[in-house]
Amino acid sequence: MAQPRHEQVSLSETPWYHVVSRCVRRAFLCGRDQFTGMNYEHRRGWIEERMLALSNIFAIDIAAYAVMSNHYHIVLRVDAGRGMDWGTDEVLKRWTQLFNGPSSVQRYLSEGPERLSAAEATQVEEHAELYRARLHDLSWFMRVLNESIARQANQEDGVKGRFWEGRFKSQALLDEQALLAAMAYVDLNPVRAGIAQDLQGCEFTGIARRIRNVARTQAQRRKPADSSRVTCHVSRSRSSTSADHASETGKLRSEQHLKSLQPAPLIPFDPATRFEIAIPFAFEDYLELVDTLGRCIHPMKRGLIPERTPRLLLRLGMETEAFVAQSASMLKSFGPVIGAPDSLCELAARKRKQRVRGIRVSRAIFNRKAA
């Protein structure tokens, strides 16, 4: 299968991206299809669980996502340093959760390296080096995600052929302002589309998952832990069988196996950390921002200006009215990179370009003096 490609930005300065992938068919990816009357709402859960499960295998962390009727958005971080630090054993164990791998790799994992010949050992190291690079590659993450979802949808529809557009699109996020704008845009997609009234109604989004997790954590603190449930969870995550391995080296393992993979948590908020490591905001401040913005961008209230500026916009020097006015088309106004004016100008100078797409919108939204 041809590997999907994303817009190459060639930036080592940022590991953050906003990614969009769209369904190629007239029929809806999720939700109710007006033409056939079929309801595909359950497919939203397929995408949500699969992307989080793959995040647990790849050196890729998810900050925000939204699964819509015929496309989905993800804001993610590619942690290449973490992936390069993985040893041979770790790399092979991770990769073979998704693909079978050649016989030498299977023997290495089942019998140990001491049972391999010198030639086989060399071959295994070569495969590990290749897999290590793939495990922090955005294109490979998207390939596995989209191929596995397409396989399920094709089986359910009883058809063959392409399910997704030929390539996904990505935008590099250069700084904190860009990350905040992308996350807010993605988390509020259901509100903007008029299919949710508020954050709690934004099903199959990162913000709804975070709100549920906070409520669950608070509930657990009020009652003693159920040790039997924890034991059951651990035993399930360790279970693995080789009977369902694909017969071909490059073929994804069966859906029965992939569905057993455990989802990774979303990237935590931590205002004390660096931009490269975690989301550098307080969750309470982010929640205030998206809640305020959601009240302004709903189709029935579009154009409403909030009475007071959310703390995050003050801290990052972002214009509230411009942020609200541009929220519907903010990411479309930029090209393959999003950032504050200084970040975009620095990039243009480094690339010896006279201009970078989106600089006008960037100046309108991000050019206020930060608090």
Side-chain angles (χ1 to χ4, degrees):
M1 186 185 79
Q3 180 178 333
R5 296 185 299 175
H6 57 90
E7 292 186 68
Q8 295 293 333
V9 181
S10 300
L11 288 173
S12 59
E13 292 84 349
T14 176
W16 298 88
Y17 291 90
H18 164 240
V19 182
V20 184
S21 190
R22 295 185 179 277
C23 182
V24 76
R25 295 182 189 158
R26 182 187 71 175
F28 278 11
L29 164 67
C30 302
R32 185 173 294 279
D33 187 343
Q34 310 175 37
F35 299 100
T36 66
M38 296 292 291
N39 191 340
Y40 300 109
E41 186 72 16
H42 57 281
R43 292 180 180 174
R44 294 176 185 259
W46 290 357
I47 297 171
E48 181 178 42
E49 293 305 316
R50 185 57 45 84
M51 75 170 68
L52 293 171
L54 293 180
S55 174
N56 216 14
I57 295 175
F58 284 78
I60 291 178
D61 305 308
I62 297 176
Y65 63 87
V67 184
M68 304 300 289
S69 61
N70 62 355
H71 67 285
Y72 65 83
H73 298 261
I74 313 177
V75 176
L76 52 80
R77 177 187 64 184
V78 180
D79 194 346
R82 187 171 89 228
M84 293 302 294
D85 286 341
W86 287 333
T88 298
D89 285 18
E90 182 71 15
V91 166
L92 296 181
K93 288 176 182 178
R94 287 175 177 270
W95 187 256
T96 53
Q97 290 185 75
L98 303 174
F99 296 92
N100 189 27
S103 58
S104 57
V105 169
Q106 296 179 45
R107 286 192 58 209
Y108 178 97
L109 292 174
S110 62
E111 302 176 17
E114 61 279 356
R115 301 295 297 272
L116 302 183
S117 66
E120 287 178 316
T122 299
Q123 186 183 52
V124 166
E125 289 298 331
E126 291 174 351
H127 283 299
E129 184 177 357
L130 176 64
Y131 300 156
R132 185 179 293 108
R134 290 177 178 178
L135 285 171
H136 63 263
D137 185 285
L138 178 56
S139 288
W140 272 95
F141 178 87
M142 293 300 294
R143 168 185 172 170
V144 176
L145 174 57
N146 281 352
E147 181 181 342
S148 63
I149 298 301
R151 183 170 65 179
Q152 294 182 76
N154 282 348
Q155 182 178 10
E156 183 176 66
D157 294 341
V159 299
K160 296 181 179 180
R162 287 172 54 189
F163 186 79
W164 302 98
E165 285 183 347
R167 65 176 63 184
F168 63 90
K169 296 180 180 179
S170 67
Q171 296 172 295
L173 309 176
L174 301 182
D175 45 42
E176 293 182 1
Q177 289 90 335
L179 175 61
L180 178 63
M183 289 184 62
Y185 177 90
V186 168
D187 275 330
L188 289 171
N189 252 260
V191 173
R192 187 179 299 106
I195 61 178
Q197 296 297 319
D198 50 31
L199 297 182
Q200 286 72 19
C202 292
E203 295 183 322
F204 304 103
T205 64
I207 189 64
R209 192 178 188 90
R210 290 184 188 276
I211 291 172
R212 289 197 305 270
N213 287 343
V214 169
R216 188 180 301 115
T217 299
Q218 292 174 345
Q220 289 174 346
R221 287 174 180 170
R222 290 193 292 266
K223 65 181 181 180
D226 186 343
S227 59
S228 62
R229 291 180 60 187
V230 173
T231 302
C232 179
H233 174 80
V234 171
S235 63
R236 186 164 58 247
S237 67
R238 291 178 179 174
S239 64
S240 176
T241 62
S242 58
D244 64 348
H245 274 203
S247 58
E248 298 176 22
T249 299
K251 188 175 181 181
L252 275 173
R253 296 185 64 172
S254 71
E255 279 305 311
Q256 181 182 3
H257 173 79
L258 295 181
K259 288 179 180 178
S260 71
L261 300 176
Q262 298 299 308
L266 296 172
I267 304 176
F269 285 81
D270 185 355
T273 193
R274 299 199 317 271
F275 169 62
E276 297 84 0
I277 297 176
I279 301 172
F281 320 127
F283 178 62
E284 294 77 10
D285 290 346
Y286 179 73
L287 193 61
E288 176 200 31
L289 171 66
V290 290
D291 183 59
T292 301
L293 185 59
R295 300 174 191 274
C296 302
I297 66 172
H298 191 277
M300 301 300 293
K301 304 175 182 179
R302 193 155 288 160
L304 176 69
I305 302 301
E307 295 181 0
R308 67 187 187 91
T309 301
R311 289 185 295 271
L312 264 183
L313 296 188
L314 285 173
R315 174 193 153 192
L316 296 179
M318 299 166 73
E319 288 288 352
T320 306
E321 292 190 22
F323 193 79
V324 173
Q326 296 289 338
S327 62
S329 59
M330 185 182 303
L331 302 189
K332 297 178 183 178
S333 302
F334 291 90
V337 293
I338 304 174
D342 289 348
S343 299
L344 293 180
C345 290
E346 181 184 347
L347 173 65
R350 192 164 57 250
K351 300 297 179 182
R352 298 182 180 179
K353 295 182 178 181
Q354 292 185 347
R355 56 186 300 178
V356 176
R357 181 180 169 188
I359 188 67
R360 182 177 300 178
V361 175
S362 178
R363 285 172 176 156
I365 302 172
F366 302 142
N367 213 27
R368 177 177 173 176
K369 186 176 180 181

